[in-house]
DNA sequence: CGGCTTTGACCTGCGC
DNA sequence: GCGCAGGTCAAAGCCG
């Protein structure tokens, strides 16, 4: 089972997190890239597009919620705040953030037994960017992934990239 | 009618 | 110890 599905997020028009505001919750770019690569092969340089995932903590987030051991944050250019990543999310909260004019939205994976959370907020500096933070690992496949798999069987060349995380969690 | 969103209240952690 | 900020809960309303 993949740690993190990134194939849906590669079509980003974003660049490296360069705002120092993010540094408090995201590791530096080199470490972040290395961690992202290690985690899920999620770093991609595709022509002029760069996708950088920032991994904050792979083994727990500080509280007793050890099941939420992975945090991945990235920024993408999008007019919509909600990205359709194939999973079904249920909104459970909305909060105004002190240093941000935009509220932060909180989502949980609506799949039973899946405790993955996602935070979405607009970038403070450039509101055309959306900062998305995933917390936790899905214990199920995205419904669309099933579709992807079927497609890849029917048309293996139809997808130039698929998430191919290390087999660390393939058990 | 069921599922989802909204939104105010409550809880908890952290800094001063 | 207190206040603030972030995160979560839960009730009410909306929509398909």
């Amino acid at each position: 089972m993949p740690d993190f599905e990134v194939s849906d997020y590669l079509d980003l028009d974003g660049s490296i997190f360069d705002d120092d505001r993010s540094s408090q919750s995201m590791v530096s770019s080199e470490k972040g890239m290395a961690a992202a690569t290690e985690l899920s092969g999620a770093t991609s340089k595709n022509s002029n597009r760069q996708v950088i995932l920032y991994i904050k903590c792979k083994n727990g987030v500080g509280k007793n919620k050890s099941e939420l051991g992975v945090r991945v944050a990235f920024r993408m250019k999008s007019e919509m705040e909600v990205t359709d990543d194939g999973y079904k999310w249920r909104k459970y909260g909305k909060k105004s953030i002190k240093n941000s004019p935009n509220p932060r939205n909180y989502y949980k994976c609506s799949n039973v037994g899946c405790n993955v959370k996602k935070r979405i907020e607009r970038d403070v500096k450039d509101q055309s960017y959306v900062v998305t933070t995933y917390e936790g690992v899905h214990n199920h496949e995205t419904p669309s992934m099933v579709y992807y798999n079927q497609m890849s069987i029917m048309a293996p060349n139809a997808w130039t990239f698929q998430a191919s995380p290390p087999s660390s969690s393939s058990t």
Side-chain angles (χ1 to χ4, degrees):
Chain A
M1 179 174 296
D3 283 324
F4 184 69
E5 309 297 348
V6 296
S7 57
D8 294 330
Y9 312 122
L10 289 177
D11 190 24
L12 310 183
D13 192 18
S15 58
I16 301 173
F17 278 102
D18 55 358
D19 55 314
D20 47 24
R21 176 190 58 83
S22 300
S23 63
Q24 62 181 347
S25 60
M26 299 169 187
V27 296
S28 60
S29 60
E30 275 191 34
K31 288 183 179 179
M33 185 182 292
T37 305
E38 176 185 348
L39 177 70
S40 60
T43 304
S44 173
K45 289 185 178 179
N46 185 4
S47 63
N48 63 336
R49 291 185 176 182
Q50 279 189 321
V51 179
I52 311 296
L53 302 186
Y54 291 79
I55 314 301
K56 170 61 176 179
C57 181
K58 294 177 64 178
N59 298 312
V61 292
K63 295 183 180 180
N64 57 350
K65 298 179 180 179
S66 58
E67 72 272 17
L68 301 178
V70 178
R71 180 181 295 176
V72 179
F74 59 90
R75 186 176 65 170
M76 61 186 295
K77 194 166 189 174
S78 174
E79 292 183 4
M80 295 191 304
E81 295 183 6
V82 180
T83 58
D84 182 9
D85 51 20
Y87 291 100
K88 195 174 182 180
W89 300 96
R90 187 180 76 247
K91 191 173 186 175
Y92 71 91
K94 180 182 178 181
K95 193 75 176 180
S96 296
I97 305 302
K98 190 169 186 294
N99 290 328
S100 174
N102 303 307
R104 177 181 292 170
N105 295 300
Y106 298 88
Y107 296 86
K108 281 181 180 177
C109 182
S110 62
N111 194 291
V112 178
C114 184
N115 293 320
V116 178
K117 297 173 188 175
K118 159 167 120 171
R119 291 196 294 263
I120 298 180
E121 61 181 306
R122 290 245 169 231
D123 192 288
V124 175
K125 290 184 178 179
D126 189 344
Q127 299 193 12
S128 65
Y129 286 85
V130 176
V131 178
T132 305
T133 304
Y134 287 87
E135 206 168 274
V137 179
H138 291 282
N139 58 10
H140 60 96
E141 281 194 343
T142 166
S144 63
M145 186 56 95
V146 177
Y147 175 71
Y148 289 167
N149 290 338
Q150 292 176 350
M151 285 297 292
S152 64
I153 292 172
M154 292 184 291
N157 295 328
W159 308 95
T160 56
F161 179 89
Q162 285 199 342
S164 54
S167 57
S168 59
S169 61
S170 60
T171 56

